[in-house]
Each structure stands twice: as C-alpha cells, then as structure tokens.
Amino acid sequence: MSPSFLRTSLTSLLGGKTASVLTKALGLTTVEDLLRHYPRRYAERAELTPLSTLVDGERVTVLAEIRKVTVRPMRQRRGTILEAVVTDGTDVMSLTFFNQKWREHDFTVGRRGLFAGQVSTFRGVRQLAHPEFKLFPDGVEDDAQAVAAFAGALIPIYPAAGAITTWQIQSAVGVLLDQLPELPDPLPDDVLARLGMCSLTDALRLVHRPSSRADADRAIERLRFEEAFTLQVVLALRRAEVMALPATRRVPATSPLLTAFDARLPFTLTEGQRAVAETIEHDLGNSHPMHRLLQGDVGSGKTVVALRAMLLVVDAGGQAALLAPTEVLAAQHYRSITGLLGPLAGRGQLGGAEVATRVALLTGSQRSAQRRRELLEIVSGEAGIVVGTHALIQENVDFHDLALVVVDEQHRFGVEQRAALAAKARDGSRPHVLVMTATPIPRTVAMTVFGDVDVSTLTELPAGRVPVTTHVVVRQEHPAHVARAWQRVREEAAQGHRVFVVCPRIADDDAAHEDTPDLEVPDEDAPAVEMAGVVPLARQLSDGELAGLRVGVLHGRMSADDKEDVMRRFADAGNADGIDVLVSTTVIEVGVDVGQATMMVIMDADRFGISQLHQLRGRVGRAGLPGLCLLVTSAEPGSPARRRLEAVASTTDGFALSALDLELRREGDVLGSMQSGLRSSLRLLEVSRHEDVILAARAAALEVVGADPGLAEHPALADAVAVLRSDEHAEFLEKA
Ligand code: ADP
Ligand code: MG
C-alpha cells in the first residue's frame, strides 16, 4: 500500500462540505491530519462528568443524564423555552433550547448523552444555552450511526473548536477508519518488536476506537514514541550533515598566546573547566565544524573557557568572534577580555607583548570612522578576536579567516544563524561554533531542542564563591521590610559595595517593555498594583530613601554610549563620577560582571520567570563577597507567583530551578527556541514528562541513522522525516 492514503485530501474521502468544516475549525486538510487529531480524553458511558468542576466561559463536552424536562412559553416574545435539567448524580446543570418543543420526545428522563457548549451561570444555575448534543441510543427509533458510534464503552472526546463537535469529528474519523489500509510504518520492524509496540495501523484504530483503557494506552504509547523517534531521527540526520560539512582544523604547532595567557591567569582552572577545555581543543582539531553548547550556572567560569578556545584558534592563525545578545554585554565582554589579556591584547602597541593579538569591538552605534578602523582590522586579520552583538553575523562584516564563533547567553542560535555563518568562513568551510548558556537546560530539553549539538556542562563553581542569600519581601504584609531593604542598601554602599535595583519596566506609562522581552505574561493572580519603573523609582530613591547616594539609571532606550558610560561608572565607583546604586531593567540580566556588587533588590519580582531571577541574582557576590538578593513582591501567599519566588529563595541550584521552571511552564514555551515545524509535530510528547520515551527514542534513532544514514531501508520513515523537514524549511523561508 502506498503512503499516499495518509496524504490524501479529506475532500476526496469525506466530501467537500465536511472537509471544509474540518479545515476551517481545526486546520486539518489531509487524512493524516485528521487521523492524528487524537482524542483529548475518553468518556465512559457509565461515568458521568463531574459538573462541579466546570468553569464559566469554558467550552465543554459533558456526559450527563437527563433528570427533568419542562417546556414553557417565553415571557417577552412568542415561542417556547425547553429546559432540560441534567445531572452527574450530585450536581445539576440546565440546558436551554428556544423554540424546540419537539425535542421533548427525545429528552426522556434517565437518558444519557453528550452535551457541548459554553458554560455560563444564570440566576445561580450553571447552564449551557443552546448546546449541541448527542443522546445515546435508547430505543428502536435511534439511527444506526449513533448506535454504532456510541456502542463502545469508551467514547473519544476530541479537541473540538468552532462549528464542529467532538461527535462530528468522531464520525469523520470513523469514515477514514472504515477504509484504513495496512499503512507503511515509520517505526522500523525491529524497533517495534524490541519495544513490543503495535503497528501504526493498529495504533490509529485503537486510539480512536479503543475497547478498553488498556487499548488506548497502548496506542498512545506507540504514537508518542513515534513522535519522539521521528524528531530524534531528524536531529540525528541534521547532526550527520554537520559532520559532513567541511571545516578547517585548528591545531596550532605551538600555542604561545594561550601559554602566555595561562601563565597570566590569577587562578587555576577548575577540574570541570580543564575537562571542557580539552574536549573543545579536540573538537577544534576536527575537519567538521564543532557545534557545542557550554552550559554552566552563572559564575561557573564559562567565559574563561571560551576565551582559551579563542586564543587557541588565534595561535593556529585564525580569528574568533564573540557574539553577545546586547550592546551592553558586548562592551562588557570587550572590557573583561582586554582586561584578562592585558598586554596580550596590545599587538603593535607600546607595551604590547610580542605574541599579542588585537581585540576589535563592533557595535551598531559606533561612529563610522571608528567602525571603519575596526572593520579594517577584522578583514586584514590584524584583530584575532572580534567582539560584537549577534547582529555581527547578519551584517556585511568580512573576516580574514573566521575560525571560531562563540555565542554568549543565547539559546536561540538556531539553524538559520548557523546557515548565515557559512558565508563568513573561507572556501565554503564552516567556522566552529561554541554556544554558552547560563540557564541550565534539563537533559530532556537539551536532547530535544539541542538534539543536534554536543553539550558540555560546568557543574562546579570556582572556589571562593559564596552563594547569594535570597529573601522574599512582601510589600503589603511587611511594609517595614521594604524600608529596611533601602536601609540595607545604604549600609552596603557605605562599605564601598555596589547595589542593583531591578524593575520590570522603564517608565510609569510604559506598555512596551522593549528591552525585557522575556517578561512573564502577568499571571491571573498578579496583583493589580502599579509596577515599578526604572525612571520614577530612581527619582524617588535619590530624593528619598537613598538621598546622598549616587543613583544611576540603565535601560534599553538609552543610547549605547550612555549605557556604556553608566556601566563604567558603576564598575569604578571609586572615581569621582562613580555610581553606587544602579536602577535598571533586565538589560543587566546576563553576563554583567561587577565584582564589588553585593546586593540586588528586584522590584515586582513576580513579574519575572524563575530562570530569569536566578540569572539576575548571579550578578552579585561575584568577587568572594557574600551576596544578598531581595525579591520584592505583592503576590498573595500561596499564589503560583509567590511559590515561584519562594522556590528561587530556597535554593541556589540552577539545575533544580530549571527543572522546576520546566514543570511550571507551558510546553510551547519550553520548546520556544525550536523550529515550530518540529514543535508542532509533538502532540502527545511532553518534554517535561516523558524523559524515558525521549531517551529510548534517541537511542533507537541513533542506531537507525548510524546504520542507514540515507534511510534507504526505511522508506516510510524517510517519508515522515521529509514531511517534518519540509515544514521546518517552509518556516525558515517564511522568516528569511
Ligand atoms: P560565567 O561566564 O560562567 O558566568 P565567568 O567566566 O564570567 O563565569 O567567571 C565568573 C568569575 O569567576 C570571573 O570573575 C572569572 O574571572 C572568575 N573565574 C573563572 N574561573 C575561575 C577559577 N577557576 N577560579 C577562580 N575564579 C574563576
Ligand atoms: Mg559570562
């Protein structure tokens, strides 16, 4: 049988009218679309839906029993109202129909059925006005189709929408199932046999028409595995393709620059840093590009590891680019790299070391003369290291010989960006890529979202780092604690320490949050109080609570020069124009490294996500000084927002927090950085819940792709993979 049954249009099997309803309501166009529109749950005829759980406004399908039927004339107009009271045995609900007196005959007391509509409350009684319904057969006059549809003990309840009901979907699916041929199976026979799973054909039958829960579970297990497996095959293939790309091996005969750098380092590398450095060195010696993700908690020392890799490729005659997500961070990286390198960055300059290189900085706001100078150093190869924002790779920047790209603090460095890199290296070869992230990624997410890259993890913090102490400060419960917080800020400043104050927005009237794109969607339970804004709060503090201290402001609407200036004054508070307290948005979130910063106050902390808060507080206590973080909130006790904050306060383990974050977030958000073509293929698989499935699928996928990279032996799999990749490709083109 050809795979074309699944690709057949719904129109040709169901007729234009039904097909167009399915397309309009649910976006389904092919047989496969509909067969993979799996039931959301199964209702049991013997088991009534608990009516007390229904929420006003919700669209529901309930299974209930008719208890009472009345017909009365309408008061204001001509016509009748038929009211059927249905029950789950405990609670009741009212169904109202206008001018349908004739239905009285069908609505016999004791009869059960499915009722679908939008829940509302009228005079204290829960109701469905004008619901769609399907009564279960109970007499000779019932139509044969209904008898067949509801004969089983389990009734599938489909995700329905708009003008279509679950039983209409069920009946359309039924038409397809009745002519379902034996389908070619994307899961290889030996994989199926080894895992004891049923065939695709059986799984589709059972998921839509189970005769028992066990049937449905078996089908779902197989279909879920198939999703994980196909995705892992796509990732394994993509990885194999990367391995087949050409890259220049970067193995220096001698490494004078790196050796001189190591000799300068004021500390010894941790065990973990050494191990990762070795792995990267090995990767750089390959003739295919490295694609490695380096993850490690804030302050675990990723930057030093990355810098060593950059120096290695410079020693090998190539160039390295370091891309940061914001200009502030690019400028800071530039400062800290030139600082760490000292005379090693002073090539051609007075006092520069003999083995020295140069570090170029490219930002969007540079004056053109400056920019031209930097570009010249980059194209001539004079600059061994180039620091800039992510825009660097999109722009027309020519490198002499780009060997390594390090991407800082960015998950979203996907397929597209990698493609853009192709144009940057010489002779069609690709640069090696190292992505650093401080948001620890749980294993399952790494395997799903980053399934085609290698992952290295720094698990220990360098010795001497003191974990940050975090407290939740609740405005309405303890107003005195807020006052005490500002007092504490004064004490820190008096000791020559620096303090961050973070706000969720810039100004009072600020709808845009432009530089805080990751701001949490406000929870339903988020308090309606005014959110703190950088500008008004800074004014309030310097006139009041923090009068006499030097209070600075930093946010995304400032020019790059101003931002840079403020950061410098904050870093060198010892100077006459120094800043003690920096009130800012989350522009300081990632990577900002001011050693003397010991305290952070996060206003309206409930507006930020768990990972973001963890990142933010990583900015303090970096130089061996104990750090303090206060999460100021108005969130109610017991609310999800409050629980998030309490979790952040209770541990400094970034991995534990990211696992929690994963549990609390919506699946779509978790997979946010993934191409949506791949993402939307996941209907049953949840990354946060199905680790075992992902592990098994990955192992099987690697085996299959390893043995048969062209998938010649697996035409149905090749087919499924092609569909997935073309969705992904289409999305890429759309964006480009
Ligand atoms: P990350 O980029 O992972 O947040 P950094 O590389 O910026 O961390 O390192 C944080 C701080 O720790 C920096 O000041 C850095 O110089 C310092 N550091 C890095 N590695 C070590 C080490 N092995 N021992 C002591 N300090 C270190
Ligand atoms: Mg860093």
Side-chain angles (χ1 to χ4, degrees), residues 460-480:
E460 52 184 340
L461 294 185
R465 291 219 35 167
V466 192
V468 178
T469 310
T470 305
H471 297 291
V472 180
V473 176
V474 186
R475 281 201 193 97
Q476 68 277 24
E477 289 166 26
H478 304 288

Side-chain angles (χ1 to χ4, degrees), residues 48-49 51 62-66 86-88 111-115:
L48 302 170
T49 309
L51 298 177
V62 300
L63 197 163
E65 185 174 301
I66 295 168
V86 297
T87 179
D88 59 5
R111 198 167 179 190
R112 293 180 172 198
L114 291 172
F115 306 93

Side-chain angles (χ1 to χ4, degrees), residues 298-304 329 332-333 408-409 436 438 590-593 619 622:
V298 184
S300 58
K302 299 179 294 295
T303 310
V304 174
L329 282 173
Q332 183 189 290
H333 270 305
D408 187 21
E409 314 285 4
M436 302 191 283
V590 278
V592 167
D593 195 358
R619 304 297 119 224
R622 286 171 79 90

